[in-house]
Amino acid sequence: MATTRMILRAIKKRPFLFPASSHSFSSSRHGSTLVVAEHDSGAVKPHSLSAVTAATSLAGNGNSSVSVLLAGSGPSLHQAASHAASSHPSVSQVLIADSEKFKSPLAEPWAKLVHLVQQQGGYSHIIAASNSFGKNIMPRAAALLDVSPITDVTGISDAQTFVRPIYAGNALCTVRYTGSNPCILTIRSTSFPVPQKSNDSKAEASISQVNLSNFDEDLNKSRYIYQTSQDDEGPDLGNARVVITGGRALKNAENFKLIENLAKKLGGAVGATRAAVDAGFVPNDLQVGQTGKIVAPELYMAFGVSGAIQHLAGMRDSKVIVAVNNDADAPIFQVADYGLVGDLFEVIPELLEKLPEKK
Amino acid sequence: MKIMVAIKRVIDYAVKIRVKPDKSGVVTQNVKMSMNPFCEIALEEALRMRESGLASEVVAVTMGPSQCLDTLRTGLAMGADRGIHVDSTSALHPLHVAKILMNLVQIEKPSLIILGKQAIDDDCNQTGQMVAGLLNWPQGTFASKATPSKLKNQAFAPTMWWGFPKDKSNMSQIGKKEYTHGTMKSLIDVVLDKEKEEVTVDREVDDGIETVQLKLPAVITTDLRLNQPRYATLPNIMKAKSKPIKKFTPQELNVEIKSDLEIVEVTEPPKRKAGVMVSSVDDLIDKLKNEAKVI
């Protein structure tokens, strides 16, 4: 029976082995960025376009190029590739990994794909949005490449220096990457606006297939079973212009209709606090907060929300914050631009009545 | 089956943190420290698996200076069987933690590693994914559950909220179950099938809940709603004092702490301009329309 000491000796003898990374890319182009993007229904997803914006801000000088990686299969993938190719003048190349293996967002094949594409392309930076897909996959890819990733970046100071929130956004940490290529980042899409569609006719980026002949087949360790689908009504919470959030004071799921109606009236999305989700009023994808969604809309209205640190972390960058709460001492009033002490069950119907119709 | 749980000592979640005037970090002197809430949830889940008979041993691992032993003892008091302390005074980034865990795995040989999805100090959300990548194990991150608030006072009801199917042909049915809101039913999220050596994980993702099935050995990171961690009772705190803690250093585990990240500075976020209180809905609408111009 092996003792701990014997095992330790065995570990010491072996060189610190790594999942194979040959580091034998053709040339490490200075300032080349790979954006790992998601697509849906034939278009690149908005938060991936924010990642493209972030990639272009890394550029600075004329040397840089931005490549966009898309994966999946079918005609929608190729449509998305066209979209990516014309999404921003700095995008010079779109890479498509066309295979059933990438149909579902499983971390294991995707991280291996990023590893493979990095070996082939030798990028200086790899960027993805820090949504649940990016958060799941990029650190795993970073481990395969033996680098420390820098996640949830809200500001880019220069090609090696980044700002990211810590302690639920109560502090900002400026960190410099001092490792070897690639520098792996995930960015907070609310900090990098989606590039405006330009009507300039310019050369579209080239679209090419990733060579998957060396792609490791060891893929049966995980299986994608199912996903609940989001309600398609209304704008996406992550990038809505207006967000109306309800807290536990709504008392039950039925009352959340008030929030929904107000959101509809203002053309906004519905958000919720952790307490409301825990209590079962709404599903988890509506949660705004440190560990839920981070939003930064033009208008954020919080009804019956006390303003816990963890909730504020998710919405403090909103342009205008309105808070309605019965409790004049609720912490939310300290961040609100406009605060109204009152009963939300009276205030919301009054708002619904008096607000101008959305044009 | 053995489960390894990684736990981290962090500033308590309720503390209002202050940035040091020299911008080198946040003030930790005389500040309350606790086990990271997500790590508590991870440990709780491991303990419930052991109590259900699916695991034989739960080993808690913590890394850092000697003060971390407090957190480890809390973990042992909650019910972990053994503790491992990797002693290091250097700043440990997720990549270092992942490498250390990878080498500990070769010694301990667990079938499951459970971690909190993120630490509430650095908010990185990286370690679980990185250790899974290094080990080439499948990962189930942001594992979740709807826990009704009534359960808060019921620390020991694992079989009620955790029922796993005895009939394996029901496995796919679990995935297809509607996630209805407004009910007090808990959704089966982490289901361990001992014979098939798989674990089914419900994950909280942007669009809702995603179900994946992972072959063991695997890595799971916990999200908030997976469970309500138990409090360590006084008898268990006393018992914990005699539970074994093994000590290692990163060097003994053949991990070099070489950093590729440098903290340049830590600052406060920009302060919002002070707001105003409005007295009525009319006043609010007026301000939003004419002053803020957002409607």
Side-chain angles (χ1 to χ4, degrees):
Chain A
M1 196 162 68
T3 63
T4 305
R5 205 169 291 194
M6 279 169 63
I7 296 171
L8 275 176
R9 271 202 295 259
I11 294 175
K12 273 200 158 82
K13 280 201 196 121
R14 276 203 336 228
F16 184 56
L17 284 177
F18 241 100
S21 89
S22 64
H23 290 294
S24 61
F25 36 76
S26 46
S27 65
S28 181
R29 291 186 298 242
H30 174 67
S32 58
T33 303
L34 176 71
V35 176
V36 180
E38 283 180 279
H39 62 99
D40 183 36
S41 309
V44 176
K45 286 191 181 175
H47 46 246
S48 294
L49 291 173
S50 290
V52 171
T53 301
T56 58
S57 73
L58 270 177
N61 54 39
N63 286 346
S64 320
S65 65
V66 176
S67 303
V68 178
L69 172 65
L70 291 164
S73 64
S76 61
L77 170 65
H78 296 271
Q79 277 175 318
S82 296
H83 180 207
S86 56
S87 58
H88 194 287
S90 292
V91 174
S92 59
Q93 185 187 40
V94 177
L95 300 168
I96 311 180
D98 195 337
S99 165
E100 287 288 312
K101 298 186 178 94
F102 309 115
K103 262 206 122 170
S104 38
L106 287 171
E108 297 80 16
W110 272 87
K112 280 214 166 108
L113 174 64
V114 172
H115 182 219
L116 178 73
V117 172
Q118 174 62 21
Q119 283 182 308
Q120 293 172 352
Y123 302 94
S124 62
H125 295 78
I126 308 180
I127 300 189
S130 68
N131 62 338
S132 52
F133 172 79
K135 287 193 278 204
N136 191 28
I137 284 156
M138 298 304 276
R140 187 182 177 108
L144 297 181
L145 291 161
D146 196 18
V147 297
S148 291
I150 300 159
T151 52
D152 210 21
V153 167
T154 53
I156 295 178
S157 307
D158 63 46
Q160 309 300 127
T161 314
F162 312 98
V163 180
R164 60 180 301 274
I166 55 175
Y167 289 97
N170 286 299
L172 295 177
C173 182
T174 303
V175 58
R176 182 173 297 129
Y177 182 68
T178 56
S180 49
N181 286 352
C183 172
I184 296 186
L185 305 174
T186 62
I187 56 97
R188 200 182 263 197
S189 51
T190 50
S191 300
F192 297 92
V194 172
Q196 292 299 324
K197 202 73 185 126
S198 73
N199 287 323
D200 304 341
S201 61
K202 47 145 210 76
E204 229 189 50
S206 65
I207 301 178
S208 51
Q209 299 258 359
V210 175
N211 179 358
L212 294 172
S213 52
N214 287 331
F215 191 77
D216 201 324
E217 285 289 334
D218 177 21
L219 293 176
N220 51 9
K221 291 192 175 176
S222 62
R223 203 153 58 97
Y224 187 87
I225 305 287
Y226 180 69
Q227 196 196 298
T228 58
S229 53
Q230 199 190 27
D231 234 332
D232 276 321
E233 277 187 51
D236 180 42
L237 179 56
N239 43 36
R241 195 191 74 88
V242 175
V243 173
I244 314 291
T245 288
R248 202 193 341 228
L250 269 302
K251 294 209 194 92
N252 58 47
E254 191 55 42
N255 289 337
F256 244 83
K257 283 247 165 3
L258 284 168
I259 301 284
E260 288 168 25
N261 292 339
L262 186 55
K264 219 174 280 187
K265 185 98 193 250
L266 290 168
V270 175
T273 60
R274 177 197 166 180
V277 177
D278 281 357
F281 301 165
V282 284
N284 69 290
D285 52 287
L286 266 48
Q287 182 174 324
V288 171
Q290 180 186 18
T291 68
K293 291 202 166 65
I294 311 284
V295 300
E298 294 262 308
L299 174 62
Y300 188 89
M301 299 184 79
F303 293 89
V305 172
S306 62
I309 299 173
Q310 293 76 16
H311 182 76
L312 298 186
M315 44 65 90
R316 62 194 296 150
D317 291 333
S318 307
K319 189 154 157 287
V320 175
I321 297 175
V322 172
V324 175
N325 197 307
N326 252 336
D327 176 9
D329 293 326
I332 189 93
F333 289 122
Q334 285 166 32
V335 293
D337 297 295
Y338 304 110
L340 176 58
V341 179
D343 183 351
L344 64 95
F345 291 107
E346 288 172 13
V347 172
I348 297 184
E350 203 181 329
L351 278 169
L352 283 168
E353 196 195 333
K354 294 180 174 172
L355 275 171
E357 278 304 321
K358 191 174 97 71
K359 290 183 263 290
Chain B
M1 179 186 73
K2 191 189 296 188
I3 303 179
M4 185 181 283
V5 180
I7 58 183
K8 187 179 183 186
R9 180 174 180 262
V10 297
I11 293 182
D12 187 82
Y13 80 95
V15 166
K16 188 164 154 62
I17 62 115
R18 283 178 307 134
V19 174
K20 286 187 192 164
D22 67 359
K23 297 190 186 171
S24 62
V26 311
V27 176
T28 50
Q29 197 87 288
N30 298 324
V31 160
K32 180 174 180 207
M33 306 293 280
S34 307
M35 190 185 300
N36 183 42
F38 292 97
C39 300
E40 286 182 331
I41 294 171
L43 182 52
E44 175 64 30
E45 198 63 19
L47 295 172
R48 291 186 186 193
M49 288 187 186
R50 189 192 61 202
E51 283 155 6
S52 305
L54 290 164
S56 52
E57 201 183 13
V58 174
V59 182
V61 181
T62 197
M63 308 184 191
S66 54
Q67 292 93 320
C68 294
L69 284 167
D70 292 339
T71 308
L72 198 51
R73 289 273 171 224
T74 304
L76 293 170
M78 278 173 69
D81 299 292
R82 283 188 291 115
I84 294 178
H85 172 219
V86 180
D87 195 357
S88 171
T89 47
S90 332
L92 295 174
H93 298 306
L95 182 58
H96 305 134
V97 175
K99 287 181 178 177
I100 293 171
L101 283 174
M102 174 176 146
N103 279 355
L104 279 174
V105 160
Q106 291 174 49
I107 299 172
E108 291 287 337
K109 299 195 188 343
S111 303
L112 199 54
I113 306 177
I114 311 183
L115 306 93
K117 80 168 181 182
Q118 71 195 62
I120 60 168
D121 50 10
D122 54 29
D123 283 329
C124 279
N125 193 338
Q126 299 169 13
T127 307
Q129 296 86 309
M130 297 189 89
V131 71
L134 292 180
L135 289 166
N136 196 23
W137 288 8
Q139 62 190 58
T141 55
F142 332 142
S144 78
K145 182 178 200 164
T147 305
S149 50
K150 266 197 246 172
L151 246 204
K152 232 184 271 186
N153 299 318
Q154 295 177 42
F156 301 92
T159 54
M160 273 167 70
W161 302 106
W162 215 72
F164 50 92
K166 296 191 170 73
D167 175 9
K168 278 172 244 70
S169 64
N170 282 331
M171 279 289 250
S172 55
Q173 236 180 312
I174 292 162
K176 285 188 178 63
K177 204 182 261 179
E178 278 292 323
Y179 190 93
T180 50
H181 31 128
T183 66
M184 297 309 243
K185 255 198 320 197
S186 74
L187 185 70
I188 294 169
D189 57 325
V190 180
V191 177
L192 199 59
D193 189 326
K194 197 178 183 183
E195 282 155 54
K196 252 202 220 163
E197 304 240 309
E198 278 176 342
V199 58
T200 303
V201 180
D202 273 10
R203 308 177 49 232
E204 287 202 9
V205 295
D206 290 336
D207 292 340
I209 307 281
E210 180 191 282
T211 306
V212 294
Q213 206 162 57
L214 315 173
K215 286 213 174 111
L216 296 185
V219 175
I220 292 175
T221 74
T222 65
D223 211 321
L224 284 175
R225 275 175 280 277
L226 181 61
N227 60 47
Q228 287 274 2
R230 65 195 65 186
Y231 295 109
T233 60
L234 193 53
N236 284 335
I237 294 173
M238 300 310 292
K239 257 193 255 173
K241 296 195 174 168
S242 55
K243 287 186 179 174
I245 293 181
K246 213 186 302 188
K247 193 166 120 171
F248 293 101
T249 61
Q251 293 72 24
E252 278 174 338
L253 294 171
N254 203 26
V255 175
E256 190 194 345
I257 308 299
K258 195 177 61 136
S259 187
D260 52 0
L261 295 174
E262 187 189 295
I263 308 288
V264 175
E265 64 172 11
V266 173
T267 52
E268 282 188 3
K271 282 200 170 25
R272 287 187 77 93
K273 202 165 58 90
V276 294
M277 298 303 284
V278 298
S279 50
S280 66
V281 171
D282 293 315
D283 196 8
L284 175 63
I285 294 179
D286 173 56
K287 292 247 166 19
L288 289 178
K289 204 158 155 208
N290 303 315
E291 195 175 272
K293 299 202 195 344
V294 283
I295 57 168

